[in-house]
């Protein structure tokens, strides 16, 4: 007995005891369970104790996952801390998730960011699948996102498009360089704020009395949603998020949005009370948004709507400037078809414009990993066993750059949507090699809203101006680096010189 005690004492104080113990616990929890249940799991890269495969995720997660998929297969299993995550990188496996087993994979995983920033899943995008989500989605479609409603806001979009062009005209007179990102973001923000809330953000509410910039808060909120928080996957390491400042910054953003929404609701209620006492029939499309505000303001649509649209427009303009041949061809189409400023009635006749934006969506889906899903029950996908509670990442970015589905997939070539086998492919969720808005029950409900904003903005920008890079920079030198987040934007804003056409 004494010998055993001495042995245990030496063992407990051995410098490698703790690492070996942790590794043993890890292997015990992983390997025997898999063998005992005899389940066929997807291939998985080697993992480390405690953190699993976290060390294999780079800053740009969609690119890291593409590399892992090329090495381990189109459906692979990762362990991020204590959570199993499958990564889908092929169209047919994506179809099995979003069509064949759509109900099973229609849930959203919880995270601290979505819980805090989106009011415990009371929005549409991050709400858990169920009756409440269906009711919210129905309300949102009726009041804002149906095709009929989207068309009814055409005058707002055209007014804001005109203001965008006038702003660039004024800037081009006083400064040789224009920050096109700021201009595009102002356009998309004002369109959405006028549609949803009934007022223009840039002129009346640019900052509140405390200096809070709501536009920046909404943008930061989407960054937090896209970041992998250690505390979500490894609860024992949640202190790391606090030390890194993640929790503090997120709370600051959440408090700022809370204050903004509370103020907006109070002002809206006051406005409704005033209108009830007025015998005034002077209502325009902005007034029609009041029922939406009253019923759905707590379900956030502002952040995803702004980020997705302005990101798409900026990437489209960047690709056009980088590819002068495409820019010239698009300008010829628009300037030949349109006699004055582009209106929404002109868009149906601009076939090359639609191909250009589809190609930008293919190369730069605003949310390259879509929104994460979670299985609600056990399922069989591509011959592999997937447990209930498994998180699902669909790498739309990788699928849309896969040579199995696309010729010269890294090239920006809009003609592929007009003359090749891709001519019949669309982004509405039926062609799984092209799913920038997702598919199935959780397809992005604002797809039509985003696309018509993008088409109108790009058409007017190329119609009214010729574009070049500052300081004599050649077009091929344009920086196309990406920024991390759930919506992958250009890392650096698009700085350009705009020359009015025709030059006067």
């Amino acid at each position: 007995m004494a010998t055993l005690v001495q042995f245990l004492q030496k063992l407990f104080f051995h410098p490698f005891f703790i690492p070996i113990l942790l590794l043993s616990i890890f292997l015990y929890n992983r390997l025997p369970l898999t063998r005992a249940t005899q389940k066929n799991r997807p291939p998985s890269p080697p993992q480390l104790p405690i953190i699993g495969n976290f060390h294999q995720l780079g800053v740009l997660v969609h690119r890291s996952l593409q590399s892992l998929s090329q090495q381990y297969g189109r459906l692979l299993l990762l362990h991020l801390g204590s959570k199993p995550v499958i990564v889908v990188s092929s169209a047919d496996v994506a179809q099995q998730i979003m069509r064949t087993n759509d109900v099973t994979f229609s849930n959203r995983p919880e995270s601290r960011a979505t819980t805090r920033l989106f009011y415990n899943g009371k929005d549409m995008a991050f709400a858990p699948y169920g009756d409440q989500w269906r009711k919210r989605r129905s309300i949102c479609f009726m009041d804002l996102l149906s095709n009929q409603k989207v068309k009814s806001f055409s005058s707002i979009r055209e007014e804001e498009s005109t203001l965008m062009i006038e702003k660039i005209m004024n800037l081009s007179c006083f400064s040789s360089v224009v920050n096109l990102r700021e201009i595009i973001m102002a356009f998309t923000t004002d369109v959405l704020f006028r549609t949803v809330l009934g007022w223009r953000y840039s002129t009346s509410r640019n900052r509140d009395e405390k200096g809070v910039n709501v536009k920046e808060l909404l943008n930061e909120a989407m960054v937090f949603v896209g970041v992998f928080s250690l505390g979500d996957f490894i609860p024992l390491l949640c202190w790391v998020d606090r030390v890194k400042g993640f929790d503090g910054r997120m709370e600051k953003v959440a408090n700022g949005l809370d204050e903004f929404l509370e103020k907006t609701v109070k002002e809206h209620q006051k406005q409704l009370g005033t209108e009830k006492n007025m015998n005034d029939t002077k209502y325009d499309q902005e007034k029609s948004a009041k029922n939406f505000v009253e019923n759905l303001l707590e379900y956030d649509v502002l952040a995803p709507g702004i980020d997705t649209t302005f990101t798409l427009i900026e990437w489209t303009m960047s690709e056009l400037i980088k590819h002068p041949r495409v820019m010239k061809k698009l300008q010829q189409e628009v300037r030949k078809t349109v006699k004055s400023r582009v209106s929404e009635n002109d868009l149906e006749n601009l076939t090359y414009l639609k191909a250009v934006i589809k190609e930008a969506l293919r190369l730069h889906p605003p949310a390259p990993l879509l929104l994460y899903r979670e299985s609600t029950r056990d399922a069989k996908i591509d011959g592999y066993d997937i447990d209930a509670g498994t998180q699902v990442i669909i790498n739309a970015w990788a699928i849309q750059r896969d040579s199995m589905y696309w010729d010269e997939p890294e090239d920006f070539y809009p003609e592929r949507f007009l003359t090749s086998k891709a001519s019949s492919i669309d982004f509405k969720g039926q062609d799984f090699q092209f799913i920038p808005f997702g598919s199935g029950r959780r397809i992005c409900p604002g797809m039509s809203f985003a696309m018509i904003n993008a088409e109108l903005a790009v058409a007017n920008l190329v119609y009214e101006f010729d574009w070049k890079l500052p300081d004599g920079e050649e077009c091929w030198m344009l920086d196309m680096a990406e920024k991390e987040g759930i919506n992958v934007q250009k890392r650096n804003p698009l700085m350009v010189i705009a020359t009015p056409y025709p030059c006067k």
Side-chain angles (χ1 to χ4, degrees):
M1 180 63 70
T3 305
L4 178 60
V5 171
Q6 291 174 353
F7 171 77
L8 291 176
Q9 287 176 341
K10 291 181 180 180
L11 178 62
F12 290 155
F13 290 99
H14 194 281
F16 294 109
F17 173 74
I18 296 299
I20 291 173
L21 176 63
L22 293 175
L23 180 59
S24 299
I25 293 173
F26 176 81
L27 293 175
Y28 176 82
N29 287 332
R30 296 293 185 198
L31 299 182
L33 180 62
T34 302
R35 291 171 184 163
T37 55
Q38 295 296 310
K39 288 191 175 181
N40 183 26
R41 304 295 187 187
S44 182
Q47 52 191 294
L48 295 177
I50 308 299
I51 66 171
N53 299 107
F54 252 116
H55 64 293
Q56 293 166 311
L57 300 182
V59 175
L60 299 175
V61 180
H62 57 289
R63 292 182 178 269
S64 301
L65 295 180
Q66 183 196 43
S67 297
L68 288 172
S69 295
Q70 289 171 344
Q71 184 175 359
Y72 292 97
R74 61 186 192 172
L75 176 63
L76 65 91
L77 174 64
L78 301 180
H79 292 94
L80 301 183
S82 60
K83 293 189 177 181
V85 179
I86 59 171
V87 180
V88 176
S89 299
S90 79
D92 54 338
V93 180
Q95 181 172 341
Q96 293 177 50
I97 296 287
M98 295 189 288
R99 177 181 289 172
T100 310
N101 297 275
D102 190 25
V103 174
T104 299
F105 292 96
S106 284
N107 204 29
R108 296 287 191 216
E110 290 185 10
S111 73
R112 291 186 301 141
T114 57
T115 297
R116 181 63 184 92
L117 296 171
F118 295 93
Y119 306 99
N120 296 310
K122 290 183 179 178
D123 69 312
M124 281 194 308
F126 302 102
Y129 181 69
D131 290 339
Q132 291 300 315
W133 169 78
R134 282 188 286 268
K135 290 177 182 177
R136 295 164 192 164
R137 192 172 188 270
S138 177
I139 293 172
C140 195
F141 265 107
M142 286 189 297
D143 286 334
L144 183 65
L145 299 177
S146 68
N147 289 333
Q148 183 178 358
K149 278 291 184 180
V150 170
K151 291 178 181 178
S152 74
F153 297 124
S154 61
S155 63
I156 292 176
R157 287 188 292 270
E158 290 180 354
E159 287 175 17
E160 293 303 326
S161 177
T162 298
L163 290 173
M164 174 182 67
I165 296 303
E166 291 175 353
K167 188 182 298 184
I168 298 174
M169 289 281 190
N170 292 333
L171 288 173
S172 65
C173 293
F174 297 102
S175 173
S176 58
V177 180
V178 174
N179 186 333
L180 195 56
R181 172 180 293 179
E182 287 188 356
I183 302 295
I184 295 169
M185 185 179 287
F187 164 75
T188 57
T189 303
D190 284 341
V191 167
L192 196 57
F193 268 66
R194 287 183 64 185
T195 301
V196 177
L197 302 178
W199 42 265
R200 179 180 289 114
Y201 173 79
S202 61
T203 56
S204 59
R205 311 280 180 100
N206 190 34
R207 292 179 184 269
D208 68 14
E209 61 272 12
K210 294 184 179 180
V212 175
N213 190 313
V214 178
K215 185 165 58 176
E216 291 180 2
L217 290 176
L218 293 171
N219 191 36
E220 288 183 48
M222 297 309 295
V223 172
F224 280 115
V225 170
V227 172
F228 281 92
S229 164
L230 278 177
D232 284 331
F233 295 91
I234 312 173
L236 288 175
L237 297 182
C238 62
W239 58 271
V240 175
D241 292 331
R242 291 195 294 271
V243 172
K244 291 171 59 179
F246 178 89
D247 290 0
R249 296 196 308 272
M250 183 173 67
E251 193 63 24
K252 182 178 179 181
V253 170
N255 289 335
L257 291 175
D258 288 345
E259 183 179 339
F260 162 72
L261 292 176
E262 183 177 355
K263 180 179 178 181
T264 301
V265 169
K266 288 181 179 179
E267 291 185 358
H268 178 69
Q269 290 173 337
K270 182 179 178 180
Q271 180 183 4
L272 286 179
T274 302
E275 289 174 355
K276 288 179 181 178
N277 297 322
M278 298 173 58
N279 184 19
D280 189 354
T281 59
K282 191 169 57 177
Y283 292 95
D284 60 13
Q285 286 136 329
E286 295 178 47
K287 297 294 184 182
S288 70
K290 67 184 180 182
N291 290 331
F292 176 79
V293 176
E294 192 172 19
N295 293 321
L296 206 63
L297 189 56
E298 60 179 320
Y299 315 135
D300 181 48
V301 296
L302 295 175
I306 293 171
D307 267 30
T308 300
T309 308
F310 105 76
T311 300
L312 170 58
I313 297 172
E314 185 178 31
W315 278 122
T316 303
M317 291 301 298
S318 298
E319 290 287 5
L320 286 170
I321 291 169
K322 190 173 182 178
H323 298 86
R325 177 195 67 82
V326 180
M327 172 72 86
K328 182 177 180 180
K329 185 173 180 178
L330 178 59
Q331 286 177 325
Q332 288 175 342
E333 177 189 68
V334 178
R335 290 168 180 174
K336 181 179 179 180
T337 305
V338 178
K339 301 307 178 184
S340 59
R341 189 154 294 167
V342 182
S343 70
E344 290 191 11
N345 291 331
D346 298 314
L347 297 179
E348 285 302 316
N349 300 319
L350 302 176
T351 56
Y352 194 62
L353 169 70
K354 295 181 183 298
V356 165
I357 294 181
K358 287 172 73 173
E359 181 70 342
L361 268 176
R362 184 187 69 82
L363 285 173
H364 308 284
L369 301 179
L370 305 181
L371 295 183
Y372 309 142
R373 295 177 175 234
E374 186 179 73
S375 57
T376 55
R377 56 177 179 261
D378 294 352
K380 182 82 74 173
I381 299 295
D382 207 34
Y384 296 107
D385 296 306
I386 309 299
D387 290 339
T390 299
Q391 189 165 316
V392 182
I393 297 176
I394 299 175
N395 195 343
W397 184 89
I399 293 171
Q400 295 176 183
R401 290 174 179 246
D402 193 331
S403 59
M404 180 180 294
Y405 313 113
W406 306 93
D407 297 329
E408 305 296 332
E410 298 295 331
D411 291 348
F412 182 72
Y413 185 67
E415 284 81 1
R416 75 175 75 245
F417 288 104
L418 299 176
T419 59
S420 72
K421 63 183 180 181
S423 60
S424 61
I425 296 176
D426 209 346
F427 49 74
K428 297 180 180 179
Q430 302 303 312
D431 300 298
F432 287 88
Q433 66 270 52
F434 189 36
I435 47 172
F437 298 104
S439 182
R441 287 166 174 79
R442 300 309 292 249
I443 194 171
C444 175
M447 175 174 53
S448 298
F449 195 97
M451 288 303 295
I452 197 166
N453 282 335
E455 289 178 2
L456 184 64
V458 172
N460 271 298
L461 289 171
V462 301
Y463 176 81
E464 297 285 353
F465 302 98
D466 290 327
W467 302 89
K468 64 180 180 179
L469 297 176
D471 303 323
E473 185 178 353
E474 296 292 337
C475 57
W476 59 267
M477 299 171 61
L478 177 61
D479 178 20
M480 302 291 277
E482 299 166 322
K483 178 182 177 181
E484 67 173 321
I486 195 169
N487 290 328
V488 175
Q489 305 166 6
K490 280 184 86 276
R491 185 171 61 193
N492 298 312
L494 182 58
M495 308 297 293
V496 289
I497 296 175
T499 303
Y501 177 87
C503 186
K504 296 179 181 180

